[in-house]
Amino acid sequence: MEYRDLGPTGMRVSPLCLGAMMFGAWGEPDHDVSISIIHRALDAGINFIDTADVYSLGESEVIVGKALAGGRRDDVILATKFHGPMDIQMGEPEKDPNKRGNSRRWVIKEVEDSLRRLGTDWIDLYQVHRPDEHTDVEETLSALTDLRTQGKIRAFGCSTFPAHQVVESQWISERRGLGRFVTEQPPYSLLVRGIEADLLPVAQRYGMGVLPWSPLAGGWLSGQVRKGKEVNSHRAARMPERFDFTRPENQRKLDAVEALAELAEKADLSLVHLALAFVLQHPAVTSPIIGPRTMDHLESQLGAAEVTLTPDILDEIDKIVPPGVNLSFGDAGYQPPELSQASLRRR
């Protein structure tokens, strides 16, 4: 497997990152099954695992820690995240406002809890899961810099930060002499291309690693979502509104998925491999995060790192979903008129 630079850190990671969100109560509750999936990914050459404290309220971290026990920890670049509330279940109203966020108080508490759950002495990449309007980013950067100095983390990054906040954080790091975010973890897929217009060029400008989440667009590009076919999936059962085809926005996505599936068939590829290869091939991307819940999910995704899309296929993709446009998570993306077809993607 050809490994890639994780931003400027000197660490090298596999072109696919194993996401652990589906390990635990949110997805696969059987720890042994989840551990077997992790071990299969490691045996296939994946050396990069991403989780978060909030996934199943720490259970995901516990599972990852079990999977890496017995000598596997040293061979893995381990990433986790903080920000979300740890005193409530997903969807419940907020309780203690100080048990969440990006304050120094919470960062220092959560890194200790994550280290304990993961069963490790250090975290290779510690990430801010979301921006926090109540905390100055300098406060967060200062706390993370101290944790790096103490050896509890090796590097730190951000997740789902808009481009302007990424730039602001880089400026603050430089002017205050603090460590900087070396990675960003944004949503990016064939259906979510808005970051091509701003965030990806910013990441390249600052030499940041980019670790896209949801490269299969929340299951839309898994091959299970097709016209005339009922969606029977774990995700659809949990969030039926995302797959309600009576909604105009979902109908637009379904039309695009049909066209992309036909393109994949013509190229003799699975839709999963087309989707992952598209994200992998962007020059700003380091390692997209796959989030399998089952062994079959993992096996269907592993070969994507070996796929290269031709310019003709990329041009056809641009006709279906133009560069810089989002068909999921609202239509917030845009395509500047002077940049057409693949120019946003390949500049």
mmCIF file of all heavy atoms in Angstrom, residues 16 22-23 27 32 50 81 135 140 177 185 194 212 218 245 272 278:
data_model
loop_
_atom_site.group_PDB
_atom_site.id
_atom_site.type_symbol
_atom_site.label_atom_id
_atom_site.label_comp_id
_atom_site.label_asym_id
_atom_site.label_seq_id
_atom_site.Cartn_x
_atom_site.Cartn_y
_atom_site.Cartn_z
ATOM 1 N N LEU A 16 -6.620 5.059 2.911
ATOM 2 C CA LEU A 16 -7.940 4.968 3.534
ATOM 3 C C LEU A 16 -7.751 4.974 5.044
ATOM 4 O O LEU A 16 -6.859 4.311 5.576
ATOM 5 C CB LEU A 16 -8.673 3.695 3.112
ATOM 6 C CG LEU A 16 -9.090 3.577 1.641
ATOM 7 C CD1 LEU A 16 -9.706 2.205 1.376
ATOM 8 C CD2 LEU A 16 -10.065 4.686 1.248
ATOM 9 N N MET A 22 -19.157 3.655 13.805
ATOM 10 C CA MET A 22 -20.171 2.608 13.820
ATOM 11 C C MET A 22 -19.853 1.464 14.771
ATOM 12 O O MET A 22 -20.564 0.466 14.801
ATOM 13 C CB MET A 22 -20.350 2.050 12.402
ATOM 14 C CG MET A 22 -21.043 2.991 11.433
ATOM 15 S SD MET A 22 -22.809 3.203 11.789
ATOM 16 C CE MET A 22 -22.809 4.810 12.573
ATOM 17 N N PHE A 23 -18.792 1.583 15.548
ATOM 18 C CA PHE A 23 -18.439 0.546 16.505
ATOM 19 C C PHE A 23 -19.000 0.930 17.876
ATOM 20 O O PHE A 23 -18.583 1.927 18.462
ATOM 21 C CB PHE A 23 -16.931 0.359 16.596
ATOM 22 C CG PHE A 23 -16.293 -0.001 15.272
ATOM 23 C CD1 PHE A 23 -15.004 0.406 14.968
ATOM 24 C CD2 PHE A 23 -16.983 -0.746 14.330
ATOM 25 C CE1 PHE A 23 -14.416 0.076 13.761
ATOM 26 C CE2 PHE A 23 -16.407 -1.077 13.109
ATOM 27 C CZ PHE A 23 -15.125 -0.662 12.828
ATOM 28 N N GLY A 27 -23.886 1.634 16.160
ATOM 29 C CA GLY A 27 -23.853 0.770 14.983
ATOM 30 C C GLY A 27 -23.811 -0.690 15.361
ATOM 31 O O GLY A 27 -24.846 -1.320 15.566
ATOM 32 N N ASP A 32 -16.715 -7.895 19.932
ATOM 33 C CA ASP A 32 -15.874 -8.861 19.219
ATOM 34 C C ASP A 32 -16.009 -8.705 17.707
ATOM 35 O O ASP A 32 -15.016 -8.815 16.974
ATOM 36 C CB ASP A 32 -16.230 -10.289 19.629
ATOM 37 C CG ASP A 32 -15.792 -10.613 21.051
ATOM 38 O OD1 ASP A 32 -14.880 -9.926 21.548
ATOM 39 O OD2 ASP A 32 -16.374 -11.530 21.656
ATOM 40 N N ASP A 50 -9.562 6.495 13.040
ATOM 41 C CA ASP A 50 -10.139 7.739 13.547
ATOM 42 C C ASP A 50 -11.396 7.423 14.346
ATOM 43 O O ASP A 50 -12.287 6.722 13.881
ATOM 44 C CB ASP A 50 -10.491 8.674 12.385
ATOM 45 C CG ASP A 50 -11.194 9.932 12.866
ATOM 46 O OD1 ASP A 50 -10.503 10.852 13.341
ATOM 47 O OD2 ASP A 50 -12.442 9.989 12.778
ATOM 48 N N LYS A 81 -11.213 12.656 18.697
ATOM 49 C CA LYS A 81 -11.727 14.024 18.662
ATOM 50 C C LYS A 81 -12.434 14.359 19.975
ATOM 51 O O LYS A 81 -12.868 13.470 20.698
ATOM 52 C CB LYS A 81 -12.706 14.178 17.479
ATOM 53 C CG LYS A 81 -12.081 13.877 16.132
ATOM 54 C CD LYS A 81 -13.059 14.085 14.980
ATOM 55 C CE LYS A 81 -14.083 12.987 14.851
ATOM 56 N NZ LYS A 81 -13.498 11.688 14.413
ATOM 57 N N THR A 135 -15.891 29.810 22.690
ATOM 58 C CA THR A 135 -14.483 29.726 23.083
ATOM 59 C C THR A 135 -13.601 30.357 22.015
ATOM 60 O O THR A 135 -13.713 30.012 20.832
ATOM 61 C CB THR A 135 -14.053 28.255 23.273
ATOM 62 O OG1 THR A 135 -14.934 27.618 24.196
ATOM 63 C CG2 THR A 135 -12.626 28.169 23.796
ATOM 64 N N THR A 140 -8.158 27.379 22.725
ATOM 65 C CA THR A 140 -8.080 25.966 22.348
ATOM 66 C C THR A 140 -6.693 25.609 21.839
ATOM 67 O O THR A 140 -6.111 24.588 22.222
ATOM 68 C CB THR A 140 -9.134 25.653 21.277
ATOM 69 O OG1 THR A 140 -10.424 26.098 21.725
ATOM 70 C CG2 THR A 140 -9.188 24.164 20.983
ATOM 71 N N GLY A 177 2.742 32.289 18.434
ATOM 72 C CA GLY A 177 3.764 31.285 18.669
ATOM 73 C C GLY A 177 3.210 29.974 19.202
ATOM 74 O O GLY A 177 3.849 29.306 20.026
ATOM 75 N N GLN A 185 -10.808 17.931 8.805
ATOM 76 C CA GLN A 185 -11.660 16.783 8.502
ATOM 77 C C GLN A 185 -13.031 17.291 8.046
ATOM 78 O O GLN A 185 -13.902 17.551 8.867
ATOM 79 C CB GLN A 185 -11.777 15.896 9.749
ATOM 80 C CG GLN A 185 -12.394 14.543 9.489
ATOM 81 C CD GLN A 185 -12.457 13.679 10.727
ATOM 82 O OE1 GLN A 185 -13.526 13.222 11.115
ATOM 83 N NE2 GLN A 185 -11.316 13.447 11.362
ATOM 84 N N GLY A 194 -18.841 21.181 -2.152
ATOM 85 C CA GLY A 194 -18.696 22.600 -1.850
ATOM 86 C C GLY A 194 -17.300 23.006 -1.427
ATOM 87 O O GLY A 194 -16.852 24.120 -1.719
ATOM 88 N N PRO A 212 -11.329 13.555 4.611
ATOM 89 C CA PRO A 212 -12.767 13.718 4.384
ATOM 90 C C PRO A 212 -13.604 12.657 5.094
ATOM 91 O O PRO A 212 -13.278 11.466 5.065
ATOM 92 C CB PRO A 212 -12.906 13.580 2.862
ATOM 93 C CG PRO A 212 -11.544 13.880 2.331
ATOM 94 C CD PRO A 212 -10.595 13.349 3.354
ATOM 95 N N GLY A 218 -23.160 9.535 3.428
ATOM 96 C CA GLY A 218 -24.126 9.020 4.396
ATOM 97 C C GLY A 218 -24.899 7.822 3.901
ATOM 98 O O GLY A 218 -26.061 7.628 4.286
ATOM 99 N N PHE A 245 -37.901 9.953 -0.392
ATOM 100 C CA PHE A 245 -37.788 10.373 -1.788
ATOM 101 C C PHE A 245 -38.912 11.305 -2.227
ATOM 102 O O PHE A 245 -38.927 11.767 -3.375
ATOM 103 C CB PHE A 245 -37.729 9.154 -2.699
ATOM 104 C CG PHE A 245 -36.539 8.265 -2.433
ATOM 105 C CD1 PHE A 245 -36.640 6.888 -2.541
ATOM 106 C CD2 PHE A 245 -35.320 8.811 -2.053
ATOM 107 C CE1 PHE A 245 -35.545 6.076 -2.286
ATOM 108 C CE2 PHE A 245 -34.227 8.012 -1.795
ATOM 109 C CZ PHE A 245 -34.336 6.629 -1.907
ATOM 110 N N VAL A 272 -19.324 2.206 -5.081
ATOM 111 C CA VAL A 272 -18.494 2.469 -3.904
ATOM 112 C C VAL A 272 -17.072 2.831 -4.323
ATOM 113 O O VAL A 272 -16.490 3.806 -3.840
ATOM 114 C CB VAL A 272 -18.494 1.246 -2.962
ATOM 115 C CG1 VAL A 272 -17.408 1.391 -1.895
ATOM 116 C CG2 VAL A 272 -19.856 1.092 -2.297
ATOM 117 N N PHE A 278 -12.874 8.902 -6.386
ATOM 118 C CA PHE A 278 -13.058 10.321 -6.684
ATOM 119 C C PHE A 278 -12.473 11.186 -5.566
ATOM 120 O O PHE A 278 -11.732 12.149 -5.820
ATOM 121 C CB PHE A 278 -14.547 10.621 -6.854
ATOM 122 C CG PHE A 278 -14.872 12.084 -6.949
ATOM 123 C CD1 PHE A 278 -14.732 12.769 -8.145
ATOM 124 C CD2 PHE A 278 -15.305 12.783 -5.828
ATOM 125 C CE1 PHE A 278 -15.027 14.132 -8.227
ATOM 126 C CE2 PHE A 278 -15.596 14.135 -5.898
ATOM 127 C CZ PHE A 278 -15.456 14.807 -7.104
#
